[in-house]
Amino acid sequence: MNRYKSLQQFLNPHFKEDEYQLAAITGDASFRRYFRVNTGDQSYIVMDSDPDKLDNTPYIELNKVFSQHGFKLPKILQADEKQGFFLLSDLGNTHLADLLGDEDRTLHYKHLIKLSAQWAQIPPAQYMKVFDGEFLQFELSIFRDWLVDNFIGEQLSADEQKMWQQACELLINNALEQPIVTVHRDFHSRNIMRTGQQWAIIDYQDAVQGPVCYDLVSLLRDCYFKLPEQELDYLLHYAYDEFSEQQLLQDTSFTMFKRWFDLTGVQRHLKAAGIFCRLKLRDGKSGYLNNVLPTLTYISNVSKEYPELTALGQWIEQIIIPQTKQRLTKESK
């Protein structure tokens, strides 16, 4: 029996078969699939998360943790953990991504910076991995394995190997020297929703203990939306003041905070560019390829501001971006 039929059987005890409609919701980058259940004037979300592909325990357990700390998340109304089917409350259709043309955009971001500071203060919990050096090295390897080796087929020279190793070491050390807090890990415009007068958080199951600037990078250096530099600078100063007030920073200058932010962004964007290529090559999802070049351009631009990253930035700009453009042109034909 295919999973769709099994999913319908999961729903049958909760809804009369002829009194609900099931509609697929697209756009998730993971192996999970989502459907909206409409029945009369009520709607719900059903999540199909195959336990053969994904461990659903963090999704269930961290839902309890974050909800207990006052955050609005999808409520798990019914669950068949053995099959991996979950009936969830429906938070609606409005993501932060849908509100980025608003005149209130800066205000939205200020509210979310405060929310991220509150999230950061949640005590460590079971199923939150620690973002240690090994974990960070693995994330950086996604760029090398999936974009450089597999997507464009670029072989690194001995000098490039050395440059890459030194850049990875710098980025890992930058992450490890920051205060360690609770990190959502994908705190960006597609995972933050507006429901009623509240902000709700989805896709929280990969939360970790990690660097204080990580979620701020996800929010303000979103791979899917580029903030104007002046607005970004204003919000970064606002975040510095907020994080200081919330005692997430101790004796940290704004210059150091910005360096943490920028270099964390380079690390995260290297990983993201690799993941976008992995989604295409491994999972057959080509919808994320449009985000590869803007992500690489960000890495190149920020690297120019730090002498220690000059060689990485030049390599990205002169070799990786042109070859990626060639591959993307082939993909579009």
Side-chain angles (χ1 to χ4, degrees):
M1 183 185 298
N2 65 37
R3 288 196 63 81
Y4 187 75
K5 284 193 179 299
S6 298
L7 184 147
Q8 288 178 306
Q9 287 192 353
F10 163 69
L11 291 174
N12 284 343
H14 311 296
F15 306 102
K16 292 182 179 176
E17 195 170 345
D18 57 348
E19 291 183 3
Y20 73 88
Q21 293 82 43
L22 208 52
I25 301 171
T26 57
D28 192 70
S30 75
F31 291 114
R32 293 180 176 86
R33 296 190 304 163
Y34 295 88
F35 301 84
R36 178 166 276 110
V37 182
N38 288 299
T39 172
D41 58 355
Q42 298 288 315
S43 65
Y44 305 87
I45 301 297
V46 61
M47 180 175 77
D48 171 5
S49 185
D50 189 341
D52 290 339
K53 295 178 180 177
L54 294 161
D55 179 7
N56 290 314
T57 309
Y59 185 89
I60 298 164
E61 295 304 318
L62 290 178
N63 186 288
K64 298 172 188 173
V65 171
F66 297 129
S67 297
Q68 284 166 2
H69 282 86
F71 291 90
K72 189 163 184 65
L73 276 66
K75 288 182 182 174
I76 300 174
L77 304 173
Q78 301 288 341
D80 182 335
E81 294 177 43
K82 188 175 179 182
Q83 292 196 88
F85 297 130
F86 299 84
L87 185 67
L88 310 173
S89 60
D90 189 352
L91 298 174
N93 294 305
T94 306
H95 295 75
L96 174 62
D98 303 311
L99 303 173
L100 295 178
D102 266 17
E103 59 183 16
D104 291 332
R105 180 176 68 204
T106 302
L107 188 60
H108 294 333
Y109 275 112
K110 288 168 74 173
H111 287 155
L112 290 165
I113 286 168
K114 283 181 177 289
L115 195 70
S116 76
Q118 293 162 12
W119 185 279
Q121 294 174 72
I122 294 173
Q126 192 178 7
Y127 304 108
M128 289 184 197
K129 295 177 182 176
V130 177
F131 223 54
D132 58 15
E134 187 178 349
F135 198 172
L136 288 155
Q137 185 65 60
F138 168 74
E139 286 211 332
L140 287 161
S141 74
I142 295 171
F143 176 80
R144 177 78 188 274
D145 293 346
W146 289 97
L147 193 151
V148 180
D149 293 351
N150 284 295
F151 194 69
I152 62 174
E154 174 67 12
Q155 299 294 316
L156 272 64
S157 68
D159 285 345
E160 287 169 339
Q161 292 261 24
K162 186 177 178 183
M163 173 276 300
W164 174 249
Q165 195 170 357
Q166 288 173 342
C168 287
E169 193 173 318
L170 177 74
L171 297 173
I172 290 169
N173 288 339
N174 173 75
L176 295 180
E177 71 184 32
Q178 297 175 46
I180 299 302
V181 300
T182 295
V183 172
H184 177 283
R185 208 168 161 212
D186 280 310
F187 195 72
H188 58 67
S189 59
R190 296 183 182 180
N191 284 337
I192 301 167
M193 300 188 71
R194 190 69 175 167
T195 177
Q197 297 302 308
Q198 285 183 281
W199 293 107
I201 310 298
I202 60 173
D203 209 17
Y204 54 82
Q205 65 278 348
D206 293 325
V208 296
Q209 290 295 300
V212 70
C213 283
Y214 199 90
D215 278 350
L216 194 63
V217 165
S218 303
L219 181 66
L220 300 183
R221 287 289 196 186
D222 195 332
C223 291
Y224 309 114
F225 179 77
K226 188 176 188 299
L227 275 168
E229 285 302 317
Q230 190 174 355
E231 188 175 355
L232 173 66
D233 185 63
Y234 168 78
L235 289 167
L236 200 53
H237 278 86
Y238 180 85
Y240 174 73
D241 292 340
E242 181 65 29
F243 282 23
S244 298
E245 189 178 322
Q246 296 285 342
Q247 299 186 320
L248 294 169
L249 305 173
Q250 302 290 338
D251 301 320
T252 304
S253 68
F254 178 76
T255 301
M256 177 58 77
F257 180 70
K258 186 177 187 302
R259 177 186 167 84
W260 285 347
F261 175 84
D262 284 341
L263 269 60
T264 300
V266 171
Q267 185 271 330
R268 187 174 191 277
H269 281 67
L270 285 165
K271 177 198 75 167
I275 285 176
F276 294 147
C277 294
R278 186 176 72 184
L279 284 164
K280 165 62 180 173
L281 297 173
R282 188 191 71 183
D283 305 333
K285 297 179 179 181
S286 57
Y288 295 86
L289 288 181
N290 290 340
N291 304 113
V292 175
L293 285 176
T295 304
L296 291 174
T297 301
Y298 163 78
I299 296 164
S300 172
N301 289 343
V302 172
S303 296
K304 290 173 184 173
E305 298 178 28
Y306 295 91
E308 318 94 295
L309 288 175
T310 299
L312 175 71
Q314 289 175 343
W315 178 63
I316 295 286
E317 185 175 31
Q318 296 169 13
I319 294 174
I320 302 302
I321 287 178
Q323 293 205 28
T324 301
K325 283 180 179 175
Q326 286 182 11
R327 175 63 194 262
L328 289 171
T329 300
K330 287 181 185 176
E331 290 292 333
S332 64
K333 289 181 180 177

